[in-house]
Every structure is written in structure tokens, then in C-alpha cells.
Amino acid sequence: MTILQANRFSSLVGEIYDAAVDPALRSGALEQVSHYVGGCAATILSRDAARLSIEIHQHFGTESRFRQLYRDRYVEQDPLLDRHLAFSAEQTIGVTDIMPHADFVATSFYREWVEPQGAIDLATVALERSDTRTTVLQVLRHRSRGTVDDSMRERMRLLAPHIQRSRIMGRQIRARSHTVDDLADVLDGLSTAICLLDADGRVVHANAACRQLFVDANLLAMVGDRIVARNTQADKIFRSLFEINLDDQTHSTGRRRIELMTSADGQHYLIHALPLRRERSLPRDVAATVLLVQKAAMVPSLVPGAIASAFRLTPSELRVLMAIVEIGGVPDIAAKLGIAETTVKTHLGRLFEKTGAGRQADLVKIAAGFTAPFAQRTSSDDDAV
């Protein structure tokens, strides 16, 4: 192989692997494969072991009517398709490996399918073989080029493992992409704001609830690709959380920190910061910390019963707990519920005793753990279903 030939081969292999990443490049890569091996048309197809079905994955240079004719009639007459089981892996098979070319020319497969496409010969090489299916690369040879020669066989043999690996890579990439898309959809359906940060504090991903939190900008906002808090108290807590989690990543302790923050409009939020385990060799722009931001608010139709059952709260104690979450101060709770402050303090003491909490902020954290995880649908969401 000359330097020019080696460069051409290397460039083609690159195109084959590029097609694994970008499916739009597959047709062009198959066209280049066909030209490189000396063919006028190429097809990647599969045949099941029971010989009941055939699937054409990619094609170049064949008209749709010939592809349909192959499926419907001539697949059973193809002398090469089912012969790979008898040959070594990646060995290119030409017609003359099966029969004299003169006999091939006399077949209806040649006269009615090969010749009308301007071809005189064909060769195939197995790409994947299993107990259930065989996938091959089929290349037609134009009459102007003569029959399949050793150069064509060798080039197909050299390209086969690269095409095979590219197909496997493509399947893995597509499967991972589907998984990522599905996960993003799930995260967008959660009421909790979830944000992934890299090792330098830049936002890698934010779910719908988190993006809305940034739009509202009462607690946190985005400046460039970084998060900033909207008031001094929140900023101090947020920075301490992030610094602690960076240290946790260094020591691989993986501690989760939870803090209570108050927004500019007086709403309470719980901030969870959890460092992700990561290899030291990974780039710094991969996700390193997960932030979960949860508004300290109750879902009346679901949460109170679960809390009351978990801690055996009386209806009065439960009302006080919910008021602590929504309002906060004892005087305001008393005014809201129409009871004396001493009564609120009595219920508060019982709540501390039953839940094990030591502060009102701890009660808020406990209650927030019972909030429904899914975002409530709007009427437009319901109409779309």
C-alpha cells in the first residue's frame, strides 16, 4: 500500500467512525466505501437465522424498486447471502467462491436483478454474526470494472471490522442519547429544582423547575453560566455549601449538606448539595455537584396525612406544623390560626418531642421531605395529553 493509498484508507476509516456519531453521515460514508472497494452500489443488510426476514439498514446506488425486488423475490436466489457461516469471519466472498461465473450469469438472479443495474458481479463480507442474525456488506461490481478481483476482496476485508465497530458504537451512542433524553424528561417533570454543577461551579444542566427558579430570580439567578444568590444571607449559605462540597469531592467523602434559605420575597427554600463521585482524570467540565432546591411548601391533598401518620400527630399539631412551614413565627401562627401564642408553643414542644427536631428550621426540613416529587400539571398540560 502506497502512502497515498494509506492516506485514503485512513481518511475513509475516519468517515466511517464519524458516521457512528452523526447518522446523517452514514449514506456518504457508505458511498465512499463502495467507491473505494471498486463497486457501483453497496448495501448493509441483515438476514435472520431462520431465513424468515431480511432488513436493509443502509444502501447506496440501488433504486428502491430493486431493493423491493430483492426483499420480495431474489433474496432466496442470492448465492452469497447465506454462505458466510461456512467461511471464516471477515472473509470477503465473491461469486467465484461459490460457482463458476459462467453459471452465475445463467441464473435468473443475475439476468433479472444484477444485470439490469449495470452490474456484472457482486461480493459480500460479514459484519456481524450471531446465533440469530447475520449482517453483511453487499457490493455490486459494475460491468465496466470487470468481475470481482483480489484487490476488491482485500479492501472489503480491511474495511469490514471498522464498519462493524462503527455500527456497534452508533447503537451505544443512540441508546445513551435516548437514556439521557428520557432522564431529562423525568427531571423536568419533578417539582424539585435540580441543577448539576461542574468542578468550577458552572451549570452543566438544569431541569425545568430549576430554570423557572432562575427566571423568577427571587432566590437564585443565572449570570453567564454561574449561579448567584439574590440576597446576602442566601449568598453566604450558598457559597459555603459549594465550598464544602468541593472539599468533599477532593476527599471523596460524598457528604450531603442541607440548608434553609430565604428568598427576597420571604419564601423558605431547602438547598441540598451533594457531591458526585468522580475520577480525578475526568475533565473539570463534567458534573461534580448536584444541587436540589425545594420550596418549603405543603401539598394539602397528599402530605398532611403522611406526616400525621409518620409521627402520630394530632390534627392541632399538624395544623401548627403546616403553619410553621408556611408562616414561620409563633405570633403570626397564633394570629393565623386564631389561638393563643402559649397554645402554639405547647404544640411546638410536642412537635419537637415527636419528630426529634430541635429547631423550627429542622421541622421545616422534615416536612419538606413529605412533599410530592412531581410538578403539578397545568390545564394546558392536561389538554395536550
Side-chain angles (χ1 to χ4, degrees):
M1 185 181 292
T2 66
I3 295 178
L4 183 61
Q5 291 172 334
N7 289 339
R8 185 184 177 192
F9 179 79
S10 177
S11 177
L12 177 55
V13 169
E15 292 183 36
I16 291 171
Y17 287 114
D18 286 344
V21 180
D22 185 356
L25 301 177
R26 291 179 195 164
S27 295
L30 187 59
E31 179 180 359
Q32 293 304 312
V33 167
S34 179
H35 292 330
Y36 178 77
V37 302
C40 60
T43 305
I44 295 177
L45 57 94
S46 292
R47 166 89 149 178
D48 70 304
R51 302 178 64 178
L52 296 176
S53 65
I54 182 173
E55 181 178 359
I56 294 178
H57 304 286
Q58 295 171 242
H59 56 85
F60 159 72
T62 56
E63 298 178 11
S64 60
R65 64 189 181 96
F66 284 108
R67 294 195 300 273
Q68 191 62 47
L69 281 171
Y70 186 85
R71 290 192 191 96
D72 296 342
R73 184 185 307 172
Y74 295 107
V75 61
E76 299 299 338
Q77 300 180 32
D78 186 340
L80 304 183
L81 185 58
D82 296 320
R83 297 302 184 100
H84 285 277
L85 297 178
F87 289 83
S88 60
E90 298 175 4
Q91 179 179 345
T92 304
I93 303 174
V95 169
T96 55
D97 294 312
I98 307 300
M99 64 176 72
H101 193 267
D103 292 347
F104 174 61
V105 170
T107 64
S108 57
F109 177 68
Y110 174 82
R111 294 194 312 271
E112 299 170 12
W113 192 81
V114 175
E115 189 177 34
Q117 296 185 74
I120 191 174
D121 204 353
L122 76 159
T124 63
V125 61
L127 302 178
E128 298 178 60
R129 289 195 304 192
S130 69
D131 293 337
T132 58
R133 184 169 294 272
T134 299
T135 302
V136 303
L137 168 66
Q138 178 194 80
V139 181
L140 292 179
R141 180 84 158 181
H142 195 269
R143 64 170 65 94
S144 63
R145 303 291 296 269
T147 57
V148 171
D149 56 18
D150 290 340
S151 175
M152 182 177 182
R153 294 169 186 268
E154 178 64 9
R155 291 187 177 195
M156 289 180 65
R157 185 190 69 81
L158 290 174
L159 287 177
H162 298 290
I163 298 173
Q164 176 188 13
R165 291 167 195 151
S166 175
R167 287 174 52 78
I168 294 172
M169 289 170 56
R171 287 197 295 267
Q172 292 174 338
I173 291 170
R174 290 194 297 278
R176 183 169 298 179
S177 298
H178 287 312
T179 301
V180 170
D181 291 342
D182 292 342
L183 179 58
D185 289 341
V186 171
L187 294 181
D188 281 345
L190 299 179
S191 57
T192 299
I194 301 174
C195 186
L196 303 180
L197 304 177
D198 67 13
D200 295 320
R202 293 185 293 264
V203 175
V204 176
H205 178 78
N207 72 340
C210 192
R211 296 193 296 271
Q212 186 59 50
L213 193 70
F214 295 149
V215 171
D216 296 339
N218 289 317
L219 181 71
L220 302 171
M222 283 282 292
V223 176
D225 55 2
R226 297 179 184 272
I227 300 176
V228 296
R230 300 300 292 173
N231 59 58
T232 303
Q233 176 258 5
D235 182 71
K236 183 177 180 181
I237 293 174
F238 180 74
R239 295 302 156 197
S240 66
L241 275 175
F242 190 65
E243 290 170 2
I244 289 170
N245 277 279
L246 281 179
D247 184 65
D248 284 343
Q249 293 161 18
T250 302
H251 295 92
S252 301
T253 57
R255 291 191 298 124
R256 181 174 72 167
R257 290 291 303 269
I258 306 175
E259 293 292 344
L260 183 65
M261 294 169 57
T262 305
S263 65
D265 60 355
Q267 299 291 316
H268 299 307
Y269 290 84
L270 286 173
I271 308 293
H272 304 244
L274 179 66
L276 298 175
R277 295 187 180 276
R278 61 194 301 270
E279 301 290 338
R280 292 183 179 274
S281 59
L282 289 176
R284 291 185 63 82
D285 59 353
V286 302
T289 302
V290 180
L291 288 182
L292 299 96
V293 185
Q294 190 175 31
K295 188 175 182 180
M298 308 300 287
V299 182
S301 63
L302 297 176
V303 175
I307 297 178
S309 176
F311 298 106
R312 299 182 179 179
L313 304 182
T314 66
S316 296
E317 292 165 352
L318 184 59
R319 282 195 297 270
V320 170
L321 176 57
M322 293 180 66
I324 290 170
V325 173
E326 297 289 351
I327 302 170
V330 171
D332 294 330
I333 293 173
K336 174 71 174 180
L337 299 181
I339 59 178
E341 292 184 22
T342 54
T343 303
V344 174
K345 291 178 181 178
T346 298
H347 289 314
L348 188 57
R350 290 173 181 166
L351 287 170
F352 288 151
E353 181 181 346
K354 290 184 176 182
T355 63
R359 302 175 302 157
Q360 286 185 221
D362 294 331
L363 288 175
V364 173
K365 293 179 183 180
I366 291 171
F370 287 82
T371 54
F374 297 103
Q376 296 185 20
R377 289 184 174 182
T378 63
S379 58
S380 60
D381 290 332
D382 294 333
D383 293 340
V385 176

Coordinates of all heavy atoms in Angstrom, one line a residue, residues 193-267:
A193 N -36.3 21.7 42.1 CA -35.3 22.2 41.2 C -34.0 21.4 41.3 O -33.5 21.3 42.4 CB -35.1 23.7 41.5
I194 N -33.5 20.9 40.2 CA -32.3 20.1 40.2 C -31.3 20.8 39.2 O -31.6 21.0 38.1 CB -32.6 18.7 39.8 CG1 -33.6 18.0 40.7 CG2 -31.3 17.8 39.7 CD1 -34.1 16.7 40.3
C195 N -30.1 21.0 39.7 CA -29.1 21.6 38.9 C -27.7 20.8 39.1 O -27.4 20.5 40.2 CB -28.9 23.0 39.4 SG -27.7 24.0 38.3
L196 N -27.1 20.5 38.0 CA -25.8 19.9 38.0 C -24.7 20.9 37.8 O -24.8 21.7 36.8 CB -25.7 18.8 36.9 CG -26.8 17.7 37.0 CD1 -26.5 16.7 35.9 CD2 -26.7 17.0 38.3
L197 N -23.7 21.0 38.6 CA -22.6 21.9 38.5 C -21.3 21.2 38.3 O -21.1 20.1 38.8 CB -22.5 22.8 39.8 CG -23.7 23.5 40.2 CD1 -23.4 24.2 41.6 CD2 -24.2 24.5 39.2
D198 N -20.4 21.8 37.5 CA -19.1 21.2 37.3 C -18.1 21.6 38.4 O -18.5 22.3 39.4 CB -18.5 21.5 35.9 CG -18.1 23.0 35.8 OD1 -18.1 23.7 36.8 OD2 -17.9 23.4 34.6
A199 N -16.9 21.1 38.3 CA -16.0 21.4 39.4 C -15.6 22.8 39.6 O -15.1 23.2 40.7 CB -14.7 20.6 39.2
D200 N -15.9 23.7 38.6 CA -15.6 25.1 38.7 C -16.9 25.9 39.1 O -16.9 27.1 39.0 CB -15.0 25.6 37.4 CG -13.6 25.0 37.2 OD1 -12.9 24.9 38.2 OD2 -13.3 24.7 36.1
G201 N -18.0 25.2 39.4 CA -19.2 25.9 39.7 C -20.1 26.3 38.6 O -21.1 27.1 38.8
R202 N -19.8 25.9 37.4 CA -20.6 26.3 36.2 C -21.8 25.3 36.1 O -21.6 24.1 36.4 CB -19.8 26.3 34.9 CG -18.7 27.4 34.9 CD -18.0 27.4 33.5 NE -17.3 26.2 33.3 CZ -15.9 26.1 33.5 NH1 -15.3 27.1 34.0 NH2 -15.3 25.0 33.3
V203 N -22.9 25.8 35.6 CA -24.1 25.0 35.4 C -23.9 24.0 34.2 O -23.7 24.5 33.1 CB -25.4 25.8 35.2 CG1 -26.6 25.0 34.9 CG2 -25.6 26.7 36.5
V204 N -24.0 22.7 34.4 CA -24.0 21.7 33.4 C -25.4 21.4 32.8 O -25.6 21.3 31.6 CB -23.3 20.4 33.9 CG1 -23.3 19.4 32.8 CG2 -21.9 20.7 34.3
H205 N -26.3 21.3 33.8 CA -27.7 21.0 33.4 C -28.6 21.5 34.5 O -28.3 21.5 35.6 CB -27.9 19.5 33.2 CG -29.3 19.1 32.8 ND1 -29.8 19.3 31.5 CD2 -30.4 18.7 33.6 CE1 -31.1 18.9 31.5 NE2 -31.5 18.5 32.7
A206 N -29.8 22.0 34.1 CA -30.8 22.4 35.0 C -32.2 21.9 34.5 O -32.5 22.1 33.3 CB -30.8 24.0 35.1
N207 N -33.0 21.3 35.4 CA -34.3 20.9 34.9 C -35.3 22.0 34.9 O -34.9 23.2 35.2 CB -34.8 19.8 35.9 CG -35.2 20.3 37.2 OD1 -34.8 21.4 37.7 ND2 -36.0 19.5 37.9
A208 N -36.5 21.8 34.4 CA -37.5 22.8 34.2 C -37.8 23.7 35.4 O -37.8 24.9 35.4 CB -38.8 22.2 33.7
A209 N -37.9 23.0 36.6 CA -38.2 23.7 37.8 C -37.0 24.6 38.2 O -37.2 25.7 38.7 CB -38.4 22.7 39.0
C210 N -35.8 24.2 37.9 CA -34.6 25.0 38.2 C -34.5 26.2 37.3 O -34.2 27.3 37.7 CB -33.4 24.1 38.2 SG -31.9 25.0 38.8
R211 N -34.8 26.0 36.0 CA -34.8 27.1 35.1 C -35.9 28.1 35.4 O -35.6 29.3 35.3 CB -35.1 26.5 33.6 CG -34.0 25.6 33.1 CD -34.1 25.4 31.6 NE -35.3 24.7 31.3 CZ -35.4 23.3 31.2 NH1 -34.4 22.6 31.5 NH2 -36.6 22.8 30.8
Q212 N -37.0 27.7 35.9 CA -38.0 28.6 36.3 C -37.6 29.4 37.6 O -37.9 30.6 37.7 CB -39.4 27.9 36.6 CG -40.5 28.8 36.9 CD -40.8 29.7 35.8 OE1 -41.0 29.3 34.6 NE2 -41.0 31.0 36.1
L213 N -36.9 28.7 38.4 CA -36.3 29.4 39.6 C -35.4 30.5 39.2 O -35.4 31.6 39.8 CB -35.6 28.3 40.5 CG -35.2 28.7 41.9 CD1 -36.4 28.8 42.8 CD2 -34.2 27.7 42.5
F214 N -34.6 30.3 38.2 CA -33.7 31.3 37.7 C -34.4 32.5 37.1 O -34.1 33.6 37.2 CB -32.7 30.7 36.7 CG -31.7 29.7 37.3 CD1 -31.3 28.7 36.5 CD2 -31.3 29.8 38.6 CE1 -30.4 27.7 37.1 CE2 -30.5 28.8 39.2 CZ -30.0 27.8 38.4
V215 N -35.5 32.1 36.4 CA -36.4 33.2 35.8 C -37.0 34.0 36.8 O -37.0 35.3 36.7 CB -37.4 32.5 34.9 CG1 -38.4 33.6 34.4 CG2 -36.8 31.8 33.6
D216 N -37.6 33.4 37.9 CA -38.2 34.2 38.9 C -37.2 35.0 39.7 O -37.5 36.2 40.1 CB -38.9 33.2 39.9 CG -40.0 32.4 39.3 OD1 -40.5 32.9 38.3 OD2 -40.4 31.4 39.9
A217 N -35.9 34.5 39.9 CA -34.8 35.2 40.4 C -35.1 35.8 41.8 O -34.5 36.8 42.2 CB -34.4 36.4 39.4
N218 N -35.9 35.2 42.6 CA -36.2 35.7 44.0 C -35.1 35.0 44.9 O -34.8 35.6 46.0 CB -37.6 35.3 44.4 CG -38.6 36.1 43.7 OD1 -38.5 37.3 43.6 ND2 -39.7 35.5 43.3
L219 N -34.7 33.8 44.6 CA -33.7 33.2 45.4 C -32.3 33.1 44.8 O -31.3 33.5 45.3 CB -34.2 31.8 45.8 CG -33.3 31.0 46.7 CD1 -33.3 31.5 48.1 CD2 -33.7 29.5 46.7
L220 N -32.3 32.5 43.6 CA -31.1 32.3 42.8 C -31.3 32.8 41.4 O -32.5 32.8 40.9 CB -30.7 30.8 42.8 CG -30.5 30.1 44.1 CD1 -30.3 28.6 43.9 CD2 -29.3 30.7 44.8
A221 N -30.3 33.2 40.7 CA -30.3 33.7 39.3 C -29.1 33.2 38.6 O -28.1 32.8 39.2 CB -30.5 35.2 39.3
M222 N -29.2 33.2 37.3 CA -28.0 32.9 36.5 C -27.3 34.1 36.0 O -28.0 35.0 35.4 CB -28.5 32.0 35.3 CG -28.8 30.6 35.6 SD -27.3 29.6 35.8 CE -26.7 29.6 34.1
V223 N -26.0 34.2 36.1 CA -25.2 35.2 35.5 C -24.1 34.5 34.7 O -23.2 33.9 35.2 CB -24.5 36.1 36.6 CG1 -23.6 37.1 35.9 CG2 -25.6 36.8 37.4
G224 N -24.3 34.6 33.4 CA -23.5 33.8 32.5 C -23.8 32.3 32.7 O -24.9 31.9 32.5
D225 N -22.8 31.5 33.1 CA -23.1 30.1 33.3 C -22.9 29.7 34.8 O -22.7 28.6 35.1 CB -22.1 29.2 32.5 CG -20.7 29.5 32.7 OD1 -20.4 30.4 33.5 OD2 -19.8 28.9 32.0
R226 N -23.0 30.8 35.6 CA -22.9 30.5 37.1 C -24.1 31.0 37.8 O -24.9 31.9 37.4 CB -21.6 31.3 37.6 CG -20.3 30.7 37.0 CD -19.1 31.5 37.5 NE -17.9 31.0 36.9 CZ -17.2 30.0 37.3 NH1 -17.6 29.3 38.4 NH2 -16.1 29.7 36.7
I227 N -24.3 30.4 39.0 CA -25.4 30.8 39.9 C -25.0 31.8 40.9 O -24.0 31.8 41.5 CB -26.0 29.5 40.6 CG1 -26.4 28.4 39.6 CG2 -27.1 29.9 41.6 CD1 -26.8 27.1 40.3
V228 N -25.9 32.8 41.1 CA -25.7 33.8 42.1 C -26.9 33.9 43.0 O -28.1 33.7 42.5 CB -25.4 35.2 41.5 CG1 -24.1 35.2 40.7 CG2 -26.5 35.7 40.6
A229 N -26.8 34.1 44.3 CA -27.9 34.3 45.2 C -28.4 35.7 45.2 O -27.6 36.7 44.9 CB -27.5 33.8 46.6
R230 N -29.7 35.9 45.5 CA -30.3 37.2 45.4 C -30.2 38.1 46.7 O -30.6 39.2 46.7 CB -31.7 37.1 45.0 CG -31.9 36.4 43.6 CD -31.2 37.1 42.5 NE -31.8 38.4 42.2 CZ -31.4 39.3 41.4 NH1 -30.2 39.1 40.7 NH2 -32.0 40.4 41.1
N231 N -29.7 37.5 47.8 CA -29.6 38.3 49.0 C -28.3 37.8 49.7 O -27.8 36.8 49.5 CB -30.8 38.3 49.9 CG -31.2 36.9 50.3 OD1 -30.4 36.2 51.0 ND2 -32.4 36.5 50.0
T232 N -27.9 38.6 50.7 CA -26.6 38.4 51.4 C -26.7 37.0 52.2 O -25.7 36.2 52.1 CB -26.3 39.5 52.3 OG1 -26.2 40.7 51.6 CG2 -24.9 39.3 53.0
Q233 N -27.8 36.8 52.9 CA -27.9 35.6 53.7 C -27.9 34.4 52.8 O -27.2 33.4 53.1 CB -29.2 35.6 54.5 CG -29.5 34.4 55.3 CD -30.6 33.5 54.6 OE1 -31.0 33.7 53.5 NE2 -30.9 32.4 55.3
A234 N -28.6 34.4 51.7 CA -28.7 33.3 50.8 C -27.3 33.0 50.1 O -26.9 31.9 49.9 CB -29.8 33.5 49.7
D235 N -26.6 34.1 49.8 CA -25.3 34.0 49.1 C -24.3 33.4 50.0 O -23.5 32.5 49.6 CB -24.9 35.4 48.7 CG -23.5 35.3 47.9 OD1 -23.5 34.8 46.8 OD2 -22.5 35.7 48.5
K236 N -24.4 33.8 51.3 CA -23.4 33.2 52.3 C -23.6 31.7 52.4 O -22.7 31.0 52.4 CB -23.6 33.9 53.6 CG -22.6 33.5 54.7 CD -22.8 34.2 56.0 CE -21.8 33.8 57.0 NZ -22.0 34.5 58.3
I237 N -24.9 31.3 52.5 CA -25.2 29.9 52.7 C -24.8 29.1 51.4 O -24.2 28.0 51.5 CB -26.7 29.7 53.0 CG1 -27.0 30.3 54.4 CG2 -27.0 28.2 53.0 CD1 -28.5 30.2 54.7
F238 N -25.2 29.7 50.3 CA -24.9 29.0 49.0 C -23.4 28.8 48.8 O -22.9 27.7 48.4 CB -25.5 29.8 47.9 CG -25.3 29.2 46.5 CD1 -26.0 28.1 46.1 CD2 -24.4 29.7 45.6 CE1 -25.8 27.5 44.9 CE2 -24.1 29.1 44.4 CZ -24.9 28.0 44.0
R239 N -22.6 29.9 49.0 CA -21.2 29.8 48.8 C -20.6 28.7 49.8 O -19.7 28.0 49.4 CB -20.5 31.1 49.0 CG -20.9 32.2 48.0 CD -20.6 31.7 46.6 NE -21.5 32.4 45.6 CZ -21.6 31.9 44.4 NH1 -21.0 30.8 44.0 NH2 -22.4 32.6 43.5
S240 N -21.0 28.7 51.1 CA -20.5 27.7 52.0 C -20.8 26.3 51.6 O -20.0 25.4 51.7 CB -21.0 28.0 53.4 OG -22.4 27.8 53.5
L241 N -22.0 26.1 51.1 CA -22.4 24.8 50.6 C -21.5 24.3 49.5 O -21.0 23.2 49.5 CB -23.9 24.8 50.1 CG -25.0 24.6 51.1 CD1 -26.3 24.8 50.4 CD2 -24.9 23.2 51.7
F242 N -21.3 25.2 48.5 CA -20.5 24.8 47.3 C -19.0 24.6 47.7 O -18.4 23.7 47.2 CB -20.6 25.9 46.3 CG -20.0 25.5 45.0 CD1 -20.5 24.4 44.2 CD2 -18.9 26.1 44.4 CE1 -20.0 24.0 43.0 CE2 -18.3 25.7 43.2 CZ -18.9 24.6 42.5
E243 N -18.5 25.4 48.6 CA -17.1 25.3 49.0 C -16.9 23.9 49.8 O -15.9 23.2 49.6 CB -16.6 26.4 49.9 CG -16.5 27.7 49.1 CD -16.3 28.9 50.0 OE1 -16.3 28.7 51.3 OE2 -16.2 30.1 49.5
I244 N -17.9 23.6 50.6 CA -17.8 22.4 51.4 C -17.9 21.2 50.4 O -17.1 20.2 50.6 CB -19.0 22.3 52.4 CG1 -18.7 23.3 53.5 CG2 -19.1 20.9 53.0 CD1 -19.9 23.5 54.5
N245 N -18.7 21.2 49.4 CA -18.8 20.1 48.5 C -17.6 20.0 47.6 O -17.3 18.9 47.2 CB -20.1 20.3 47.7 CG -21.3 19.7 48.5 OD1 -21.6 18.5 48.5 ND2 -22.1 20.6 49.1
L246 N -17.0 21.1 47.3 CA -15.7 21.0 46.5 C -14.7 20.2 47.4 O -13.9 19.4 46.9 CB -15.2 22.4 46.2 CG -15.9 23.1 45.0 CD1 -15.3 24.4 44.7 CD2 -15.7 22.2 43.7
D247 N -14.7 20.5 48.7 CA -13.7 19.9 49.6 C -14.1 18.4 49.7 O -13.2 17.5 49.7 CB -13.7 20.5 50.9 CG -12.7 19.9 51.9 OD1 -11.5 20.0 51.6 OD2 -13.1 19.3 52.9
D248 N -15.4 18.1 49.7 CA -15.8 16.7 49.8 C -15.4 15.9 48.6 O -15.0 14.7 48.7 CB -17.4 16.6 49.9 CG -17.8 17.0 51.3 OD1 -17.0 17.0 52.2 OD2 -19.0 17.3 51.5
Q249 N -15.4 16.6 47.4 CA -15.0 15.9 46.2 C -13.5 15.5 46.3 O -13.1 14.5 45.8 CB -15.3 16.7 45.0 CG -16.7 17.0 44.7 CD -16.9 18.2 43.8 OE1 -16.0 18.6 43.1 NE2 -18.2 18.7 43.7
T250 N -12.8 16.4 46.8 CA -11.3 16.2 46.9 C -11.0 15.0 47.8 O -10.2 14.1 47.5 CB -10.6 17.4 47.5 OG1 -10.9 18.5 46.7 CG2 -9.1 17.2 47.6
H251 N -11.8 14.8 48.9 CA -11.6 13.8 49.9 C -12.5 12.6 49.7 O -12.4 11.6 50.4 CB -11.7 14.3 51.3 CG -10.7 15.3 51.7 ND1 -10.9 16.7 51.5 CD2 -9.5 15.2 52.1 CE1 -9.8 17.4 51.9 NE2 -8.9 16.5 52.3
S252 N -13.4 12.7 48.6 CA -14.3 11.6 48.3 C -15.2 11.1 49.5 O -15.5 10.0 49.6 CB -13.5 10.4 47.8 OG -12.7 10.7 46.7
T253 N -15.6 12.0 50.3 CA -16.4 11.7 51.5 C -17.9 11.7 51.0 O -18.7 11.0 51.6 CB -16.2 12.7 52.6 OG1 -16.5 14.0 52.1 CG2 -14.8 12.6 53.2
G254 N -18.3 12.5 50.0 CA -19.6 12.4 49.5 C -20.7 12.8 50.5 O -21.8 12.3 50.5
R255 N -20.4 13.8 51.4 CA -21.4 14.2 52.3 C -22.4 15.1 51.7 O -22.1 16.0 50.9 CB -20.7 15.0 53.5 CG -19.9 14.2 54.4 CD -19.5 14.9 55.6 NE -18.7 16.1 55.3 CZ -19.0 17.4 55.7 NH1 -20.1 17.6 56.3 NH2 -18.2 18.4 55.3
R256 N -23.7 14.9 52.1 CA -24.8 15.8 51.6 C -25.0 16.9 52.6 O -25.1 16.6 53.8 CB -26.0 15.0 51.3 CG -27.2 15.9 50.8 CD -28.4 15.1 50.4 NE -29.1 14.6 51.6 CZ -30.3 14.1 51.6 NH1 -31.0 14.0 50.4 NH2 -30.9 13.6 52.6
R257 N -25.1 18.1 52.2 CA -25.4 19.2 53.1 C -26.8 19.8 52.8 O -27.2 19.9 51.6 CB -24.4 20.3 52.9 CG -23.0 20.0 53.5 CD -23.0 19.9 55.0 NE -23.5 21.2 55.5 CZ -22.7 22.2 55.9 NH1 -21.4 22.0 55.8 NH2 -23.2 23.3 56.4
I258 N -27.6 20.1 53.8 CA -28.9 20.7 53.6 C -29.0 22.0 54.4 O -28.6 22.0 55.6 CB -30.0 19.7 54.1 CG1 -29.9 18.4 53.4 CG2 -31.4 20.3 53.8 CD1 -30.8 17.3 53.9
E259 N -29.4 23.0 53.8 CA -29.5 24.3 54.5 C -30.9 25.0 54.1 O -31.4 24.7 53.1 CB -28.4 25.3 54.1 CG -27.0 24.8 54.6 CD -26.9 24.9 56.1 OE1 -27.7 25.6 56.7 OE2 -25.9 24.3 56.7
L260 N -31.4 25.8 55.0 CA -32.6 26.5 54.8 C -32.2 28.0 54.4 O -31.5 28.6 55.1 CB -33.4 26.6 56.1 CG -34.8 27.2 56.0 CD1 -35.7 26.5 55.1 CD2 -35.4 27.4 57.4
M261 N -32.8 28.4 53.2 CA -32.5 29.7 52.7 C -33.8 30.5 52.5 O -34.9 29.8 52.3 CB -31.8 29.7 51.4 CG -30.4 29.1 51.5 SD -29.6 28.7 49.9 CE -29.6 30.3 49.1
T262 N -33.8 31.8 52.6 CA -35.0 32.6 52.5 C -34.8 33.5 51.2 O -33.7 34.1 51.1 CB -35.2 33.5 53.7 OG1 -35.3 32.6 54.8 CG2 -36.5 34.3 53.5
S263 N -35.8 33.5 50.4 CA -35.7 34.3 49.1 C -36.0 35.8 49.4 O -36.4 36.2 50.5 CB -36.7 33.8 48.1 OG -38.0 33.9 48.6
A264 N -35.8 36.6 48.4 CA -36.0 38.0 48.5 C -37.5 38.4 48.9 O -37.7 39.4 49.5 CB -35.6 38.7 47.2
D265 N -38.4 37.5 48.5 CA -39.8 37.8 48.8 C -40.3 37.0 50.0 O -41.5 36.9 50.3 CB -40.7 37.4 47.6 CG -40.6 35.9 47.2 OD1 -39.8 35.2 47.8 OD2 -41.4 35.5 46.3
G266 N -39.3 36.5 50.8 CA -39.7 35.9 52.1 C -40.1 34.4 52.1 O -40.5 33.9 53.1
Q267 N -39.9 33.7 51.0 CA -40.3 32.3 50.9 C -39.1 31.5 51.4 O -37.9 31.8 51.2 CB -40.6 31.9 49.4 CG -41.8 32.7 48.9 CD -43.1 32.2 49.5 OE1 -43.3 31.0 49.8 NE2 -43.9 33.2 49.8

